[in-house]
Amino acid sequence: MRSSRRAADHTPIFTAEPDPFVVRFKVKARVWLPLDSSPPIHEDVIWKQLSFTRELQKGSKGWTGKVRASLVRLENTDGKYLDKTLSAQAKSPTKYALDEQDTKLLTTRTVNRIDKVVSVSVPVDAEPPKPSKTTPEPEVRESIRIQSLIAQAGAKMGMAIWIPLTDRGGVLKEWQGEPPKLLDRLPLNYDDTTLRTIEQIDVLWLRGRSIVRAFEVEHTTSVYSGILRMADLLALQPNMDIRLHIVAPAERREKVFSEIRRPVFSLLEKGPLADSCTYLSYESVRDLAAQKHLAHLTDKVLDEYAEEAE
């Protein structure tokens, strides 16, 4: 875009009167490229030419401060090069295909509230790195074992099992005996935003087309990501009636309870998260998985192991 002039304009735009942002620039678009014609900064045509990227290792994020901060001046040579390159793209575009991750990041998701439509994001967990042969990650590996034990217990009770696609390889390696076929897709009739949230939950037990239990296995000190996902689910579907469980080592029990009782989770439309979400220790999961007659039990056996936040 090119700025033509600046002037003071007190018309409220950003806030109600008095709007403090009154020095405004009149601009007009010179080049406007579709996403698949916009050169990614890591392409050589851009990366090797700009003064703030060409000395960096390819893939580095060290350049982002140059374009994110307010009123940072670009070198004239950089501005002229970008102008020339983008103008050439407008006349004779080169296509740059968006990968799956780019597409997910650029997709705007909305939720219909009674009073308005709001935009939301659904964070997607990246595939965990494979443990090094020389530097194993015992805590992460133990959480995968627990995730697998939860899935196995549900399968023995006759439940259909959902595991996020990024976790399946590790979970199945820990499976004792011949693993059943995991669900390839969730047989649920929810909107896309809700489904994407549900798909990221560590373990789901389903009976027919209904979720019976949902589990988040927390191996990080913050024990926060799984609780956030459970809260997201209840915020999106306040009428959903399922039991939620945060699974964590015994030494993090109080941390789980203190996070569940945060004000932001206690003021959900459905009611406090603590009313729907309980804690399971790793040891409780091991005891459950060791039950000899799981095939003759129902999911209610979990209530003997689950602990509620006081």
Side-chain angles (χ1 to χ4, degrees):
M1 293 186 179
R2 170 180 290 174
S3 172
S4 56
R5 63 188 181 87
R6 70 176 182 178
D9 183 348
H10 293 267
T11 306
I13 296 179
F14 304 101
T15 66
E17 293 189 64
D19 190 331
F21 305 103
V22 298
V23 178
R24 299 167 187 172
F25 292 81
K26 304 293 184 181
V27 298
K28 62 180 180 180
R30 294 188 61 250
V31 177
W32 193 277
L33 298 174
L35 286 175
D36 61 357
S37 297
S38 303
I41 195 167
H42 292 105
E43 288 290 319
D44 286 347
V45 66
I46 303 293
W47 191 264
K48 292 184 176 181
Q49 301 298 324
L50 298 179
S51 64
F52 55 92
T53 57
R54 57 176 172 242
E55 301 299 327
L56 298 176
Q57 183 178 355
K58 184 70 74 71
S60 166
K61 300 293 186 181
W63 58 273
T64 55
K66 188 72 172 179
V67 297
R68 285 182 177 174
S70 176
L71 300 179
V72 174
R73 181 182 177 87
L74 294 182
E75 297 294 333
N76 286 342
T77 52
D78 293 333
K80 290 178 180 178
Y81 180 76
L82 289 172
D83 187 1
K84 177 182 176 182
T85 302
L86 297 179
S87 295
Q89 269 290 94
K91 294 178 180 178
S92 181
T94 298
K95 296 294 185 180
Y96 298 94
L98 297 175
D99 61 25
E100 183 179 0
Q101 184 65 17
D102 289 334
T103 302
K104 289 178 180 178
L105 290 173
L106 291 167
T107 300
T108 300
R109 304 186 183 280
T110 60
V111 174
N112 294 323
R113 292 171 40 128
I114 295 176
D115 53 341
K116 61 182 177 180
V117 177
V118 296
S119 296
V120 299
S121 65
V122 182
V124 178
D125 290 342
E127 186 170 1
K130 296 180 180 179
S132 167
K133 292 182 179 179
T134 57
T135 57
E137 301 174 35
E139 193 171 19
V140 175
R141 292 180 63 85
E142 182 63 12
S143 73
I144 294 173
R145 293 190 187 101
I146 295 297
Q147 190 177 4
S148 184
L149 287 177
I150 295 169
Q152 291 176 59
K156 289 178 181 178
M157 292 182 197
M159 306 288 181
I161 305 299
W162 170 265
I163 301 288
L165 300 180
T166 53
D167 294 350
R168 293 189 177 195
V171 168
L172 292 177
K173 283 182 181 179
E174 300 293 335
W175 204 283
Q176 299 174 2
E178 184 67 24
K181 182 177 174 58
L182 300 176
L183 290 172
D184 292 326
R185 57 182 295 275
L186 289 170
L188 307 173
N189 293 321
Y190 293 115
D191 60 88
D192 184 59
T193 303
T194 301
L195 282 174
R196 288 189 59 78
T197 300
I198 295 174
E199 287 172 352
Q200 300 303 311
I201 293 175
D202 286 336
V203 185
L204 295 175
W205 290 359
L206 295 93
R207 185 184 295 114
R209 299 173 63 85
S210 300
I211 300 174
V212 177
R213 303 269 175 164
F215 306 83
E216 279 286 351
V217 182
E218 287 287 8
H219 66 271
T220 62
T221 303
S222 66
V223 298
Y224 202 60
S225 61
I227 295 173
L228 277 173
R229 191 169 291 122
M230 296 303 196
D232 283 346
L233 179 56
L234 293 184
L236 288 166
Q237 296 293 331
N239 296 321
M240 181 179 283
D241 186 21
I242 62 174
R243 296 298 293 173
L244 312 173
H245 305 281
I246 300 297
V247 187
E251 60 269 21
R252 296 192 184 135
R253 175 179 179 274
E254 293 306 318
K255 177 66 172 175
V256 170
F257 288 153
S258 66
E259 295 294 347
I260 287 177
R261 291 193 297 260
R262 278 177 177 260
V264 69
F265 301 140
S266 299
L267 300 172
L268 295 170
E269 179 182 346
K270 181 182 176 65
L273 179 62
D275 290 350
S276 303
C277 188
T278 58
Y279 164 74
L280 287 169
S281 69
Y282 278 14
E283 191 59 38
S284 293
V285 171
R286 295 190 190 97
D287 289 346
L288 172 67
Q291 290 264 8
K292 294 183 178 180
H293 306 292
L294 281 175
H296 303 289
L297 299 177
T298 71
D299 66 285
K300 292 187 180 298
V301 70
L302 274 171
D303 297 336
E304 299 178 14
Y305 298 92
E307 299 180 54
E308 297 182 358
E310 298 177 357

